[in-house]
mmCIF file of all heavy atoms in Angstrom:
data_model
loop_
_atom_site.group_PDB
_atom_site.id
_atom_site.type_symbol
_atom_site.label_atom_id
_atom_site.label_comp_id
_atom_site.label_asym_id
_atom_site.label_seq_id
_atom_site.Cartn_x
_atom_site.Cartn_y
_atom_site.Cartn_z
ATOM 1 N N ILE A 44 -4.966 -11.480 -8.320
ATOM 2 C CA ILE A 44 -4.170 -10.574 -9.138
ATOM 3 C C ILE A 44 -2.700 -10.894 -8.871
ATOM 4 O O ILE A 44 -2.211 -10.652 -7.776
ATOM 5 C CB ILE A 44 -4.520 -9.094 -8.831
ATOM 6 C CG1 ILE A 44 -6.015 -8.863 -8.851
ATOM 7 C CG2 ILE A 44 -3.809 -8.175 -9.821
ATOM 8 C CD1 ILE A 44 -6.754 -9.315 -10.122
ATOM 9 N N LEU A 45 -2.090 -11.416 -9.930
ATOM 10 C CA LEU A 45 -0.685 -11.829 -9.836
ATOM 11 C C LEU A 45 0.245 -10.610 -9.991
ATOM 12 O O LEU A 45 -0.129 -9.651 -10.636
ATOM 13 C CB LEU A 45 -0.387 -12.857 -10.927
ATOM 14 C CG LEU A 45 -1.095 -14.186 -10.735
ATOM 15 C CD1 LEU A 45 -0.920 -15.072 -11.961
ATOM 16 C CD2 LEU A 45 -0.661 -14.893 -9.456
ATOM 17 N N SER A 46 1.440 -10.724 -9.482
ATOM 18 C CA SER A 46 1.952 -11.883 -8.801
ATOM 19 C C SER A 46 1.709 -11.858 -7.287
ATOM 20 O O SER A 46 1.671 -12.884 -6.615
ATOM 21 C CB SER A 46 3.496 -11.944 -8.960
ATOM 22 O OG SER A 46 3.819 -12.006 -10.328
ATOM 23 N N GLY A 47 1.423 -10.697 -6.757
ATOM 24 C CA GLY A 47 1.461 -10.502 -5.284
ATOM 25 C C GLY A 47 0.471 -11.319 -4.478
ATOM 26 O O GLY A 47 0.709 -11.562 -3.309
ATOM 27 N N LEU A 70 -1.485 -8.093 -13.437
ATOM 28 C CA LEU A 70 -1.246 -6.656 -13.685
ATOM 29 C C LEU A 70 0.026 -6.284 -12.931
ATOM 30 O O LEU A 70 0.404 -6.921 -11.970
ATOM 31 C CB LEU A 70 -2.388 -5.844 -13.029
ATOM 32 C CG LEU A 70 -3.798 -5.924 -13.517
ATOM 33 C CD1 LEU A 70 -4.745 -5.152 -12.611
ATOM 34 C CD2 LEU A 70 -3.849 -5.321 -14.957
ATOM 35 N N ALA A 71 0.672 -5.236 -13.387
ATOM 36 C CA ALA A 71 1.858 -4.748 -12.652
ATOM 37 C C ALA A 71 1.783 -3.227 -12.622
ATOM 38 O O ALA A 71 1.402 -2.590 -13.571
ATOM 39 C CB ALA A 71 3.123 -5.187 -13.341
ATOM 40 N N SER A 72 2.098 -2.680 -11.428
ATOM 41 C CA SER A 72 2.031 -1.221 -11.334
ATOM 42 C C SER A 72 3.211 -0.606 -10.589
ATOM 43 O O SER A 72 3.268 0.568 -10.395
ATOM 44 C CB SER A 72 0.736 -0.834 -10.623
ATOM 45 O OG SER A 72 0.752 -1.349 -9.326
ATOM 46 N N TYR A 73 4.172 -1.423 -10.177
ATOM 47 C CA TYR A 73 5.261 -0.852 -9.341
ATOM 48 C C TYR A 73 6.593 -0.798 -9.981
ATOM 49 O O TYR A 73 7.439 0.030 -9.670
ATOM 50 C CB TYR A 73 5.336 -1.622 -7.996
ATOM 51 C CG TYR A 73 4.938 -0.801 -6.837
ATOM 52 C CD1 TYR A 73 3.638 -0.438 -6.608
ATOM 53 C CD2 TYR A 73 5.917 -0.315 -5.933
ATOM 54 C CE1 TYR A 73 3.246 0.328 -5.537
ATOM 55 C CE2 TYR A 73 5.537 0.503 -4.858
ATOM 56 C CZ TYR A 73 4.207 0.793 -4.701
ATOM 57 O OH TYR A 73 3.863 1.570 -3.630
ATOM 58 N N GLY A 76 10.296 -0.419 -7.790
ATOM 59 C CA GLY A 76 10.654 0.635 -6.873
ATOM 60 C C GLY A 76 9.922 0.511 -5.538
ATOM 61 O O GLY A 76 9.350 -0.532 -5.235
ATOM 62 N N THR A 77 9.907 1.543 -4.721
ATOM 63 C CA THR A 77 9.147 1.483 -3.484
ATOM 64 C C THR A 77 7.997 2.525 -3.499
ATOM 65 O O THR A 77 7.408 2.798 -2.489
ATOM 66 C CB THR A 77 10.043 1.760 -2.261
ATOM 67 O OG1 THR A 77 10.649 3.056 -2.412
ATOM 68 C CG2 THR A 77 11.133 0.712 -2.083
ATOM 69 N N THR A 79 4.646 4.168 -6.137
ATOM 70 C CA THR A 79 3.896 3.903 -7.379
ATOM 71 C C THR A 79 4.360 4.738 -8.564
ATOM 72 O O THR A 79 4.720 5.890 -8.383
ATOM 73 C CB THR A 79 2.372 4.057 -7.143
ATOM 74 O OG1 THR A 79 1.699 3.663 -8.358
ATOM 75 C CG2 THR A 79 1.991 5.442 -6.776
ATOM 76 N N ARG A 81 2.286 4.933 -11.084
ATOM 77 C CA ARG A 81 1.000 5.306 -11.671
ATOM 78 C C ARG A 81 0.746 4.671 -13.055
ATOM 79 O O ARG A 81 -0.222 4.976 -13.706
ATOM 80 C CB ARG A 81 0.779 6.798 -11.743
ATOM 81 C CG ARG A 81 0.381 7.352 -10.419
ATOM 82 C CD ARG A 81 0.537 8.839 -10.320
ATOM 83 N NE ARG A 81 0.927 9.191 -8.986
ATOM 84 C CZ ARG A 81 0.129 9.136 -7.942
ATOM 85 N NH1 ARG A 81 -1.108 8.851 -8.117
ATOM 86 N NH2 ARG A 81 0.573 9.439 -6.738
ATOM 87 N N ILE A 83 -0.016 1.339 -15.154
ATOM 88 C CA ILE A 83 -0.459 -0.039 -14.975
ATOM 89 C C ILE A 83 -0.228 -0.816 -16.237
ATOM 90 O O ILE A 83 -0.579 -0.383 -17.319
ATOM 91 C CB ILE A 83 -1.979 -0.043 -14.617
ATOM 92 C CG1 ILE A 83 -2.204 0.769 -13.312
ATOM 93 C CG2 ILE A 83 -2.484 -1.480 -14.430
ATOM 94 C CD1 ILE A 83 -3.664 1.147 -13.071
ATOM 95 N N GLU A 102 -6.444 -9.082 -4.049
ATOM 96 C CA GLU A 102 -5.182 -8.298 -4.208
ATOM 97 C C GLU A 102 -4.297 -8.513 -2.976
ATOM 98 O O GLU A 102 -4.801 -8.788 -1.908
ATOM 99 C CB GLU A 102 -5.560 -6.790 -4.287
ATOM 100 C CG GLU A 102 -5.471 -6.166 -5.611
ATOM 101 C CD GLU A 102 -4.018 -5.971 -6.154
ATOM 102 O OE1 GLU A 102 -3.133 -6.757 -5.817
ATOM 103 O OE2 GLU A 102 -3.822 -5.026 -6.895
ATOM 104 N N ASP A 103 -3.034 -8.301 -3.171
ATOM 105 C CA ASP A 103 -2.134 -8.310 -2.004
ATOM 106 C C ASP A 103 -2.281 -7.031 -1.205
ATOM 107 O O ASP A 103 -2.357 -7.001 0.003
ATOM 108 C CB ASP A 103 -0.662 -8.510 -2.434
ATOM 109 C CG ASP A 103 -0.216 -7.558 -3.557
ATOM 110 O OD1 ASP A 103 -1.036 -6.748 -4.025
ATOM 111 O OD2 ASP A 103 0.957 -7.583 -3.935
ATOM 112 N N ILE A 104 -2.356 -5.900 -1.912
ATOM 113 C CA ILE A 104 -2.403 -4.597 -1.234
ATOM 114 C C ILE A 104 -3.098 -3.555 -2.073
ATOM 115 O O ILE A 104 -2.913 -3.553 -3.308
ATOM 116 C CB ILE A 104 -0.947 -4.144 -0.881
ATOM 117 C CG1 ILE A 104 -0.936 -2.911 0.022
ATOM 118 C CG2 ILE A 104 -0.080 -3.947 -2.099
ATOM 119 C CD1 ILE A 104 0.390 -2.694 0.724
ATOM 120 N N VAL A 105 -3.906 -2.711 -1.410
ATOM 121 C CA VAL A 105 -4.456 -1.565 -2.096
ATOM 122 C C VAL A 105 -3.768 -0.356 -1.499
ATOM 123 O O VAL A 105 -3.792 -0.120 -0.322
ATOM 124 C CB VAL A 105 -6.027 -1.452 -1.913
ATOM 125 C CG1 VAL A 105 -6.509 -0.128 -2.456
ATOM 126 C CG2 VAL A 105 -6.707 -2.585 -2.595
ATOM 127 N N ASP A 106 -3.062 0.374 -2.399
ATOM 128 C CA ASP A 106 -2.228 1.533 -2.000
ATOM 129 C C ASP A 106 -2.973 2.768 -2.398
ATOM 130 O O ASP A 106 -3.787 3.292 -1.670
ATOM 131 C CB ASP A 106 -0.842 1.305 -2.680
ATOM 132 C CG ASP A 106 0.171 2.391 -2.350
ATOM 133 O OD1 ASP A 106 -0.112 3.289 -1.586
ATOM 134 O OD2 ASP A 106 1.313 2.262 -2.850
ATOM 135 N N THR A 107 -2.729 3.314 -3.629
ATOM 136 C CA THR A 107 -3.485 4.447 -4.088
ATOM 137 C C THR A 107 -4.885 4.081 -4.492
ATOM 138 O O THR A 107 -5.779 4.922 -4.544
ATOM 139 C CB THR A 107 -2.806 5.118 -5.303
ATOM 140 O OG1 THR A 107 -2.783 4.204 -6.397
ATOM 141 C CG2 THR A 107 -1.404 5.581 -4.997
ATOM 142 N N GLY A 108 -5.097 2.800 -4.846
ATOM 143 C CA GLY A 108 -6.396 2.349 -5.330
ATOM 144 C C GLY A 108 -6.523 2.435 -6.851
ATOM 145 O O GLY A 108 -7.507 1.983 -7.422
ATOM 146 N N ASN A 109 -5.503 2.961 -7.504
ATOM 147 C CA ASN A 109 -5.600 3.130 -8.957
ATOM 148 C C ASN A 109 -5.645 1.824 -9.728
ATOM 149 O O ASN A 109 -6.370 1.687 -10.676
ATOM 150 C CB ASN A 109 -4.423 3.974 -9.484
ATOM 151 C CG ASN A 109 -4.610 5.458 -9.076
ATOM 152 O OD1 ASN A 109 -5.678 5.996 -9.190
ATOM 153 N ND2 ASN A 109 -3.544 6.076 -8.568
ATOM 154 N N THR A 110 -4.873 0.849 -9.254
ATOM 155 C CA THR A 110 -4.876 -0.445 -9.971
ATOM 156 C C THR A 110 -6.255 -1.102 -9.892
ATOM 157 O O THR A 110 -6.806 -1.585 -10.878
ATOM 158 C CB THR A 110 -3.815 -1.419 -9.360
ATOM 159 O OG1 THR A 110 -2.564 -0.725 -9.373
ATOM 160 C CG2 THR A 110 -3.692 -2.713 -10.097
ATOM 161 N N MET A 111 -6.825 -1.099 -8.676
ATOM 162 C CA MET A 111 -8.142 -1.733 -8.501
ATOM 163 C C MET A 111 -9.206 -0.977 -9.279
ATOM 164 O O MET A 111 -10.095 -1.601 -9.907
ATOM 165 C CB MET A 111 -8.532 -1.675 -7.014
ATOM 166 C CG MET A 111 -8.349 -2.991 -6.354
ATOM 167 S SD MET A 111 -9.124 -4.367 -7.249
ATOM 168 C CE MET A 111 -7.753 -5.429 -7.419
ATOM 169 N N HIS A 112 -9.129 0.333 -9.289
ATOM 170 C CA HIS A 112 -10.147 1.145 -10.001
ATOM 171 C C HIS A 112 -10.063 0.788 -11.523
ATOM 172 O O HIS A 112 -11.072 0.525 -12.166
ATOM 173 C CB HIS A 112 -9.863 2.636 -9.814
ATOM 174 C CG HIS A 112 -10.751 3.521 -10.597
ATOM 175 N ND1 HIS A 112 -12.062 3.769 -10.207
ATOM 176 C CD2 HIS A 112 -10.594 4.152 -11.782
ATOM 177 C CE1 HIS A 112 -12.634 4.539 -11.099
ATOM 178 N NE2 HIS A 112 -11.767 4.799 -12.071
ATOM 179 N N LEU A 132 -3.939 -6.310 2.442
ATOM 180 C CA LEU A 132 -3.483 -5.058 3.118
ATOM 181 C C LEU A 132 -4.137 -3.840 2.444
ATOM 182 O O LEU A 132 -4.444 -3.818 1.280
ATOM 183 C CB LEU A 132 -1.965 -4.923 3.004
ATOM 184 C CG LEU A 132 -1.089 -6.057 3.566
ATOM 185 C CD1 LEU A 132 0.363 -5.851 3.179
ATOM 186 C CD2 LEU A 132 -1.273 -6.177 5.057
ATOM 187 N N LYS A 134 -3.597 0.582 2.626
ATOM 188 C CA LYS A 134 -2.930 1.744 3.199
ATOM 189 C C LYS A 134 -3.917 2.920 3.097
ATOM 190 O O LYS A 134 -3.954 3.609 2.123
ATOM 191 C CB LYS A 134 -1.662 2.104 2.375
ATOM 192 C CG LYS A 134 -0.556 1.064 2.385
ATOM 193 C CD LYS A 134 0.630 1.561 1.537
ATOM 194 C CE LYS A 134 1.709 0.553 1.445
ATOM 195 N NZ LYS A 134 2.729 0.918 0.429
ATOM 196 N N ALA A 137 -2.875 6.350 1.890
ATOM 197 C CA ALA A 137 -2.367 6.520 0.537
ATOM 198 C C ALA A 137 -3.488 6.535 -0.507
ATOM 199 O O ALA A 137 -3.303 6.869 -1.662
ATOM 200 C CB ALA A 137 -1.400 5.373 0.201
ATOM 201 N N LEU A 138 -4.694 6.153 -0.058
ATOM 202 C CA LEU A 138 -5.818 6.000 -1.029
ATOM 203 C C LEU A 138 -6.155 7.277 -1.733
ATOM 204 O O LEU A 138 -6.307 8.344 -1.089
ATOM 205 C CB LEU A 138 -7.084 5.563 -0.243
ATOM 206 C CG LEU A 138 -7.516 4.126 -0.282
ATOM 207 C CD1 LEU A 138 -8.860 3.984 0.381
ATOM 208 C CD2 LEU A 138 -7.563 3.532 -1.670
ATOM 209 N N ILE A 152 -2.581 -0.758 7.195
ATOM 210 C CA ILE A 152 -1.223 -0.457 7.609
ATOM 211 C C ILE A 152 -0.943 1.020 7.365
ATOM 212 O O ILE A 152 -1.652 1.673 6.573
ATOM 213 C CB ILE A 152 -0.158 -1.360 6.912
ATOM 214 C CG1 ILE A 152 -0.210 -1.175 5.407
ATOM 215 C CG2 ILE A 152 -0.353 -2.811 7.324
ATOM 216 C CD1 ILE A 152 0.999 -1.842 4.682
ATOM 217 N N GLU A 155 3.593 2.885 4.459
ATOM 218 C CA GLU A 155 4.999 2.451 4.475
ATOM 219 C C GLU A 155 5.198 1.312 3.461
ATOM 220 O O GLU A 155 4.222 0.639 3.120
ATOM 221 C CB GLU A 155 5.396 1.935 5.886
ATOM 222 C CG GLU A 155 4.516 0.792 6.342
ATOM 223 C CD GLU A 155 4.436 0.645 7.874
ATOM 224 O OE1 GLU A 155 4.946 1.464 8.603
ATOM 225 O OE2 GLU A 155 3.790 -0.333 8.330
ATOM 226 N N PHE A 156 6.424 1.099 3.009
ATOM 227 C CA PHE A 156 6.652 0.070 2.023
ATOM 228 C C PHE A 156 6.868 -1.280 2.709
ATOM 229 O O PHE A 156 7.656 -1.375 3.627
ATOM 230 C CB PHE A 156 7.825 0.422 1.157
ATOM 231 C CG PHE A 156 8.052 -0.505 0.022
ATOM 232 C CD1 PHE A 156 7.210 -0.403 -1.081
ATOM 233 C CD2 PHE A 156 9.032 -1.469 0.051
ATOM 234 C CE1 PHE A 156 7.366 -1.321 -2.162
ATOM 235 C CE2 PHE A 156 9.186 -2.360 -1.003
ATOM 236 C CZ PHE A 156 8.347 -2.287 -2.123
ATOM 237 N N VAL A 157 6.133 -2.294 2.228
ATOM 238 C CA VAL A 157 6.225 -3.630 2.871
ATOM 239 C C VAL A 157 6.513 -4.701 1.815
ATOM 240 O O VAL A 157 6.242 -4.529 0.620
ATOM 241 C CB VAL A 157 4.936 -3.972 3.614
ATOM 242 C CG1 VAL A 157 4.720 -3.081 4.797
ATOM 243 C CG2 VAL A 157 3.706 -3.927 2.664
ATOM 244 N N VAL A 158 7.096 -5.788 2.306
ATOM 245 C CA VAL A 158 7.376 -6.954 1.483
ATOM 246 C C VAL A 158 6.963 -8.208 2.262
ATOM 247 O O VAL A 158 6.729 -8.164 3.448
ATOM 248 C CB VAL A 158 8.872 -7.114 1.051
ATOM 249 C CG1 VAL A 158 9.298 -6.044 0.099
ATOM 250 C CG2 VAL A 158 9.788 -7.224 2.305
ATOM 251 N N LEU A 162 4.349 -10.183 -1.474
ATOM 252 C CA LEU A 162 4.705 -8.863 -1.914
ATOM 253 C C LEU A 162 6.238 -8.757 -2.132
ATOM 254 O O LEU A 162 6.998 -9.320 -1.338
ATOM 255 C CB LEU A 162 4.277 -7.783 -0.910
ATOM 256 C CG LEU A 162 2.809 -7.549 -0.801
ATOM 257 C CD1 LEU A 162 2.287 -8.062 0.535
ATOM 258 C CD2 LEU A 162 2.443 -6.103 -0.998
ATOM 259 N N ASP A 163 6.628 -7.985 -3.154
ATOM 260 C CA ASP A 163 8.043 -7.959 -3.491
ATOM 261 C C ASP A 163 8.658 -6.593 -3.459
ATOM 262 O O ASP A 163 7.996 -5.572 -3.520
ATOM 263 C CB ASP A 163 8.227 -8.512 -4.953
ATOM 264 C CG ASP A 163 7.823 -7.464 -5.974
ATOM 265 O OD1 ASP A 163 6.659 -7.025 -5.952
ATOM 266 O OD2 ASP A 163 8.676 -7.035 -6.783
ATOM 267 N N TYR A 164 9.985 -6.587 -3.426
ATOM 268 C CA TYR A 164 10.798 -5.444 -3.768
ATOM 269 C C TYR A 164 11.818 -5.922 -4.767
ATOM 270 O O TYR A 164 12.544 -6.877 -4.507
ATOM 271 C CB TYR A 164 11.511 -4.885 -2.484
ATOM 272 C CG TYR A 164 12.552 -3.837 -2.807
ATOM 273 C CD1 TYR A 164 12.165 -2.650 -3.484
ATOM 274 C CD2 TYR A 164 13.888 -4.035 -2.460
ATOM 275 C CE1 TYR A 164 13.138 -1.713 -3.781
ATOM 276 C CE2 TYR A 164 14.825 -3.032 -2.736
ATOM 277 C CZ TYR A 164 14.444 -1.907 -3.461
ATOM 278 O OH TYR A 164 15.405 -0.982 -3.776
ATOM 279 N N ARG A 169 9.178 -12.142 -1.859
ATOM 280 C CA ARG A 169 7.801 -12.722 -1.920
ATOM 281 C C ARG A 169 7.712 -13.961 -0.997
ATOM 282 O O ARG A 169 6.643 -14.319 -0.532
ATOM 283 C CB ARG A 169 7.477 -13.156 -3.354
ATOM 284 C CG ARG A 169 7.359 -11.995 -4.332
ATOM 285 C CD ARG A 169 6.690 -12.494 -5.598
ATOM 286 N NE ARG A 169 6.903 -11.594 -6.727
ATOM 287 C CZ ARG A 169 6.149 -10.544 -7.009
ATOM 288 N NH1 ARG A 169 5.160 -10.199 -6.189
ATOM 289 N NH2 ARG A 169 6.397 -9.776 -8.019
HETATM 290 P P1 LIG B 1 -2.137 0.959 -6.186
HETATM 291 O O1 LIG B 1 -2.548 1.024 -7.632
HETATM 292 O O2 LIG B 1 -1.372 2.221 -5.822
HETATM 293 O O3 LIG B 1 -3.265 0.699 -5.232
HETATM 294 O O4 LIG B 1 -1.063 -0.146 -6.020
HETATM 295 C C1 LIG B 1 -1.339 -1.481 -5.992
HETATM 296 C C2 LIG B 1 -0.148 -2.308 -6.331
HETATM 297 O O5 LIG B 1 1.134 -1.692 -6.043
HETATM 298 C C3 LIG B 1 -0.147 -3.579 -5.524
HETATM 299 O O6 LIG B 1 -0.833 -4.609 -6.185
HETATM 300 C C4 LIG B 1 1.312 -3.934 -5.378
HETATM 301 O O7 LIG B 1 1.774 -4.666 -6.458
HETATM 302 C C5 LIG B 1 1.989 -2.586 -5.432
HETATM 303 N N1 LIG B 1 2.308 -2.064 -4.063
HETATM 304 C C6 LIG B 1 1.704 -1.062 -3.365
HETATM 305 N N2 LIG B 1 2.235 -0.881 -2.186
HETATM 306 C C7 LIG B 1 3.211 -1.832 -2.076
HETATM 307 C C8 LIG B 1 4.156 -2.138 -0.999
HETATM 308 O O8 LIG B 1 4.216 -1.538 0.089
HETATM 309 N N3 LIG B 1 4.998 -3.155 -1.255
HETATM 310 C C9 LIG B 1 5.006 -3.864 -2.461
HETATM 311 N N4 LIG B 1 4.176 -3.606 -3.449
HETATM 312 C C10 LIG B 1 3.267 -2.577 -3.262
#
Side-chain angles (χ1 to χ4, degrees):
I44 310 306
L45 294 172
S46 303
L70 292 174
S72 62
Y73 247 73
T77 60
T79 183
R81 282 164 214 286
I83 300 164
E102 255 288 30
D103 50 357
I104 187 163
V105 173
D106 182 0
T107 62
N109 287 316
T110 306
M111 258 309 125
H112 177 78
L132 303 173
K134 295 181 185 171
L138 259 188
I152 60 169
E155 59 203 5
F156 187 75
V157 293
V158 292
L162 289 112
D163 77 301
Y164 169 58
R169 296 193 196 275

